[in-house]
Amino acid sequence: MQKPLIPPLGGLLALVLLTPGVVVAQTDEGRREIRACRLTDSEVLRFDGRVDEAFWSRVDPATGFRMQEPREGAEASERTEVRIAYDSRHLYIGAILYDSDPSQIKAFMKRRDLPMFSDDRFTWILDTFNDQRGAYFLEVNPNGMRTDGLVVTGQGNNVNLNWDGVWDARTVIGDFGWSAEIKIPFRTLNFDPAGETWGANFMRVIRRRNETALWTGYRRNQGIARPQDAGAISGLTGLSQGLGLEAVPYGILKGSDDRVAGDPETSVSPDIGLDLNYSITPSLKASLTINTDFAETEVDQRRINLTRFPLVFPEQRDFFLEGSGIYRFAPASGVSPFFSRRIGLDDATGEPIPITVGGRLLGNSGDYSIAFLQVRTAETDSVNREDFTMARIRRNIGEESTIGMIYTRRATQHGDQLDPALQDRHTFGVDLELGTSRFAGDKNLQFQAFFVAHNSAFAADDSTDFWDRSTRGIRLNFPNQPWSGHVSYREFGSAYDPAVGFARRNSFRRVNPRIGFAPQFEDSDLIQQVEWSVFFEHLTDLDFTLMTQELRFGLFDVRFMSGDGIALDVSRGFERLVEPFDIKGDGSIIVPVGDYTNGWVNAGLATAPFRRASAEVAIETGGFWSGRRSEYRLQVTLRPMAGVEVAPEYVHTDVDLAEGAFSTDLVRFQGTLDLTTSLLFSATVQYDNLSDLLGMNTRLRWIITPGSDLYLVYNHNWLEQDSRFATRQRTGTIKASYTHRF
């Protein structure tokens, strides 16, 4: 086996972390700025969504929004005014979003924390450290629906909607348009109390026109998710988080009826738990969780896997979602040395494993971002007690760059008594992100590099070495308009399998360039943008024998001014299969060892999401192993009134191979009935004909006050046998939590 082409980054990491002089000062030159107004003791916000209190009139607003879409740099079609005020406990935002035709304002959604694709919305970011590295992301629609998250600069998805802050908003729709008043407790945010200036930006979306307008950073290679393009809020003095202590006790009552083994097993179990959060500094928070239960978490969306590699499902548990922006490691490079779903979920079945206690440290200290996680899981009938550790540190360098390292540990109680015997498993990684917004004057350019390695899982000697258990790679990204592109190279060792991470595939070398051209048609009333692209993947084993290759041409991806879109691409690919592949997982159809070359076509159509009835249609057809495959997907979304959404989805696949033929069906129904932005009901029903399982999840959430919730959850699973559905398992849960801040 060839040794890796890329050396470890440890020496570079140590050099940067230990050399203070490497940090480059930032400049605020040319930033737009507004000044916040401190309220007197007699000035009180009525908090009704109407920006009509007397103190608002003495606050100079942020105005002069310009379009990012559909006509870059043009004056926004409607006027927007944003004002900032504060007192000793809260930051207040008053936004007036004028509209010449208020009857056309789109406001369907009420459910907290969903992306607001279908609605008008007002979005803002708060860079509370004013370091242009990260920010809080918050938005509200005309119904008062709230979504929040975290922005982290660098490659990959820059907005993480998994953070949930305690804040509130009120809105009003009137003959002027709509307005919003937002109240954010300072205890919700991390910030530097000595700083008087925060970075900030504001964005408005007028959905019926597909118009996006920003206060600053309105160019297409900028945007709301880039704090380095934000403006500033000045005049913030005397801010305090109080004692910084938060207690979140919860009580739960769960009843279950399990018939998997044949005879019904019923149980009713009450339980309690506690989360404690303490702000060691205004920017660094410690947390303790005791007897954690995630019964209120939504179910995973079911998928049918016809590939040789495992699927990855997103984390949905709040304790692991908070801080996930710091956890992320080389996010655009497909390497996951830390994957939180390895904690508290059985690797084989996905069933929950009780978490008895967990501790966490998250936040910032100077130029450093810090995350530490320690969790203990309970012993069950199938697994021993385990301890999990994760430590992550990342340092800012220059204006838009970072370097960091990560460490994980997984220790199994009595692991030395298992067969084969397990030892403590350690993983270490370093990653580097270099970025600039001034390449060739005003272009973005990003570079990423990483290295990860772990020890052997087994106490006895095995045949793998250090390089077999490691991965490394580099990536260069040019995220601009109309031209964009990237090129990456990565190697995964033959035994790379981090114990608290995720590796979909190992034992390969991969080169992947892509280039895209997406011009805007600003003078057209029909077409907004068309993108053409070329994607190439060349993957070999570690001895440079070709294993996978794909060449994909994006013939067109058209976005219309109406909000509709249509796309078509064609591909040709090669796969070398070195061991038989049980495609259905039941031994009925085995794809033999050999070389396979095929071509296929993908086509998709999506109507504008702001319509009361919208749809997405996708078709993929072409060669597949020794035969052909055709997949058809249809999703319809109906929004008859605000707060009501019905979204059935159907995916049908026909596979016709030389070794046999079969079809798969996946049916999913999702419905929501949200009476208010605080009383939310949802139902999900899923069925597929490979597992023959029909599952239903219903969930009622009452947000009593921000941070305090009541959940009623009911899950029911049936197995199809002899054309009948028999109950396998059903569970009902009541969970109440309360947040108290000191």
Side-chain angles (χ1 to χ4, degrees):
M1 184 185 71
Q2 297 283 336
K3 292 300 181 184
L5 303 181
I6 300 173
L9 301 174
L12 178 59
L13 175 74
L15 176 64
V16 175
L17 290 179
L18 298 176
T19 308
V22 79
V23 179
V24 180
Q26 300 182 64
T27 175
D28 291 338
E29 182 180 355
R31 298 177 73 186
R32 301 192 73 181
E33 183 178 307
I34 57 171
R35 188 168 184 83
C37 171
R38 181 161 190 135
L39 304 186
T40 65
D41 293 340
S42 61
E43 293 176 317
V44 178
L45 180 75
R46 287 190 294 272
F47 201 50
D48 56 5
R50 305 177 187 277
V51 189
D52 57 2
E53 287 82 359
F55 65 80
W56 287 124
S57 63
R58 60 187 181 90
V59 181
D60 292 331
T63 58
F65 283 57
R66 292 192 171 274
M67 289 188 198
Q68 186 182 49
E69 303 287 353
R71 295 179 174 84
E72 181 184 71
E75 184 178 346
S77 64
E78 304 285 355
R79 185 160 54 101
T80 302
E81 297 178 354
V82 183
R83 295 172 170 84
I84 306 293
Y86 69 102
D87 58 23
S88 60
R89 296 189 301 168
H90 296 92
L91 181 77
Y92 302 110
I93 301 177
I96 304 177
L97 303 102
Y98 294 95
D99 199 304
S100 56
D101 189 359
S103 65
Q104 295 301 310
I105 291 174
K106 303 300 179 183
F108 296 107
M109 304 176 69
K110 294 184 179 180
R111 178 167 298 264
R112 174 155 188 184
D113 291 332
L114 292 180
M116 299 182 191
F117 296 130
S118 63
D119 290 10
D120 285 39
R121 67 184 188 269
F122 169 61
T123 305
W124 65 101
I125 63 170
L126 298 174
D127 175 9
T128 54
F129 291 95
N130 195 30
D131 59 6
Q132 302 181 8
R133 300 288 185 157
Y136 294 94
F137 174 95
L138 308 99
E139 59 184 354
V140 64
N141 76 350
N143 290 328
M145 170 192 166
R146 290 163 290 149
T147 291
D148 49 23
L150 298 174
V151 175
V152 180
T153 59
Q155 299 191 43
N157 183 11
N158 288 348
V159 181
N160 183 344
L161 296 181
N162 295 322
W163 174 79
D164 283 329
V166 177
W167 59 286
D168 210 351
R170 297 287 186 272
T171 56
V172 170
I173 300 176
D175 57 6
F176 63 94
W178 65 286
S179 61
E181 287 183 325
I182 294 105
K183 180 168 64 175
I184 306 173
F186 288 122
R187 294 176 181 178
T188 293
L189 308 174
N190 290 342
F191 57 88
D192 180 2
E196 298 185 6
T197 301
W198 290 2
N201 201 2
F202 312 106
M203 181 181 80
R204 178 184 182 178
V205 172
I206 303 175
R207 188 74 280 165
R208 68 184 184 273
R209 296 176 183 152
N210 289 306
E211 179 180 324
T212 300
L214 291 102
W215 179 50
T216 185
Y218 54 80
R219 296 189 58 198
R220 290 194 179 97
N221 63 347
Q222 298 176 333
I224 194 68
R226 286 178 52 85
Q228 55 267 59
D229 299 314
I233 302 172
S234 62
L236 297 167
T237 60
L239 309 185
S240 172
Q241 291 183 324
L243 293 178
L245 179 62
E246 177 183 87
V248 188
Y250 82 83
I252 188 169
L253 180 64
K254 184 184 300 183
S256 64
D257 176 13
D258 193 336
R259 306 182 185 184
V260 174
D263 295 330
E265 294 184 10
T266 60
S267 63
V268 177
S269 57
D271 211 345
I272 59 174
L274 176 67
D275 291 344
L276 291 174
N277 302 302
Y278 177 66
S279 295
I280 300 172
T281 71
S283 60
L284 193 62
K285 183 169 71 174
S287 302
L288 175 69
T289 184
I290 302 172
N291 199 27
T292 309
D293 192 288
F294 301 105
E296 80 282 5
T297 301
E298 295 185 16
V299 297
D300 292 323
Q301 286 202 348
R302 195 176 303 179
R303 288 180 279 174
I304 293 177
N305 186 10
L306 298 180
T307 74
R308 295 169 288 158
F309 310 108
L311 299 176
V312 57
F313 290 89
E315 178 62 84
Q316 302 197 68
R317 299 167 296 174
D318 288 342
F319 180 77
F320 296 104
L321 290 173
E322 184 173 356
S324 56
I326 302 177
Y327 301 160
R328 73 179 200 159
F329 180 94
S333 293
V335 57
S336 301
F338 176 67
F339 182 54
S340 58
R341 284 181 68 108
R342 300 295 294 270
I343 304 175
L345 293 172
D346 190 290
D347 289 340
T349 66
E351 292 298 315
I353 299 172
I355 292 177
T356 56
V357 64
R360 184 181 62 197
L361 182 67
L362 291 173
N364 298 279
S365 178
D367 289 312
Y368 293 88
S369 298
I370 300 168
F372 177 81
L373 185 69
Q374 180 70 42
V375 174
R376 170 167 290 183
T377 58
E379 182 177 357
T380 70
D381 293 338
S382 58
V383 297
N384 292 356
R385 190 186 76 192
E386 292 192 296
D387 290 296
F388 297 84
T389 305
M390 192 283 302
R392 172 77 161 136
I393 184 170
R394 190 173 62 227
R395 186 188 179 182
N396 299 335
I397 54 175
E399 294 187 8
E400 301 181 35
S401 305
T402 62
I403 191 166
M405 64 182 181
I406 192 168
Y407 166 76
T408 71
R409 170 181 172 265
R410 183 173 186 171
T412 303
Q413 186 184 38
H414 306 308
D416 57 342
Q417 301 174 19
L418 299 177
D419 186 18
L422 289 178
Q423 62 183 358
D424 289 0
R425 284 138 289 169
H426 306 273
T427 300
F428 174 79
V430 292
D431 63 332
L432 174 70
E433 291 260 5
L434 302 176
T436 178
S437 300
R438 294 190 289 272
F439 177 73
D442 58 357
K443 304 298 182 186
N444 299 316
L445 186 66
Q446 301 166 335
F447 172 80
Q448 186 176 93
F450 69 89
F451 178 85
V452 182
H454 60 82
N455 69 331
S456 173
F458 307 106
D461 292 338
D462 63 23
S463 59
T464 64
D465 63 20
F466 177 82
W467 296 111
D468 296 330
R469 299 188 302 270
S470 67
T471 178
R472 48 268 162 196
I474 57 175
R475 189 176 193 270
L476 185 66
N477 188 34
F478 184 73
N480 295 281
Q481 292 283 354
W483 289 99
S484 64
H486 70 254
V487 60
S488 64
Y489 174 80
R490 70 191 69 158
E491 302 173 351
F492 278 56
S494 59
Y496 177 73
D497 185 16
V500 199
F502 180 82
R504 188 167 186 263
R505 183 176 186 175
N506 60 15
S507 192
F508 68 83
R509 306 179 194 268
R510 179 179 183 264
V511 177
N512 172 214
R514 180 193 179 277
I515 188 168
F517 177 59
Q520 301 282 324
F521 294 82
E522 297 185 350
D523 296 328
S524 173
D525 294 327
L526 176 64
I527 297 176
Q528 180 176 344
Q529 175 182 286
V530 179
E531 181 174 13
W532 296 273
S533 63
V534 179
F535 170 97
F536 181 67
E537 178 186 24
H538 184 84
L539 187 149
T540 74
D541 66 12
L542 296 174
D543 293 319
F544 299 98
T545 300
L546 181 63
M547 303 298 294
T548 299
Q549 191 177 78
E550 180 185 353
L551 179 61
R552 183 191 316 148
F553 293 96
L555 300 184
F556 58 81
D557 186 349
V558 183
R559 191 167 65 192
F560 295 96
M561 293 294 292
S562 62
D564 306 314
I566 187 171
L568 177 68
D569 63 64
V570 296
S571 304
R572 184 170 180 82
F574 167 85
E575 285 284 349
R576 171 167 287 127
L577 195 59
V578 296
E579 58 184 40
F581 173 36
D582 182 0
I583 191 169
K584 293 180 66 179
D586 59 3
S588 60
I589 299 177
I590 306 296
V591 181
V593 170
D595 294 348
Y596 299 87
T597 301
N598 287 297
W600 58 95
V601 178
N602 286 279
L605 169 67
T607 63
F610 63 79
R611 298 194 174 100
R612 292 189 181 274
S614 60
E616 294 184 23
V617 180
I619 300 172
E620 179 179 338
T621 185
F624 186 62
W625 297 116
S626 61
R628 295 188 60 82
R629 182 186 73 161
S630 296
E631 181 175 288
Y632 311 91
R633 176 178 175 268
L634 171 64
Q635 181 176 11
V636 177
T637 303
L638 305 175
R639 303 181 183 90
M641 62 184 68
V644 178
E645 183 174 292
V646 179
E649 181 180 6
Y650 177 56
V651 182
H652 176 79
T653 305
D654 290 319
V655 178
D656 187 1
L657 306 177
E659 298 76 29
F662 64 96
S663 296
T664 68
D665 294 290
L666 173 61
V667 181
R668 181 181 297 115
F669 172 87
Q670 293 179 296
T672 61
L673 174 60
D674 302 329
L675 301 179
T676 71
T677 56
S678 300
L679 187 58
L680 316 167
F681 174 80
S682 64
T684 301
V685 179
Q686 302 180 97
Y687 170 80
D688 74 271
N689 69 334
L690 284 190
S691 68
D692 290 327
L693 280 176
L694 173 66
M696 179 179 69
N697 167 258
T698 59
R699 186 171 179 263
L700 177 69
R701 180 186 183 187
W702 177 25
I703 305 174
I704 303 169
T705 59
S708 301
D709 301 89
L710 175 67
Y711 292 93
L712 304 178
V713 182
Y714 178 69
N715 293 315
H716 199 138
N717 293 314
W718 297 265
L719 177 64
E720 185 181 16
Q721 295 176 320
D722 301 324
S723 301
R724 298 181 62 184
F725 287 97
T727 295
R728 285 177 57 87
Q729 188 181 52
R730 52 186 174 180
T731 304
T733 305
I734 302 174
K735 180 176 181 179
S737 64
Y738 171 72
T739 299
H740 182 72
R741 290 177 162 175
F742 298 90

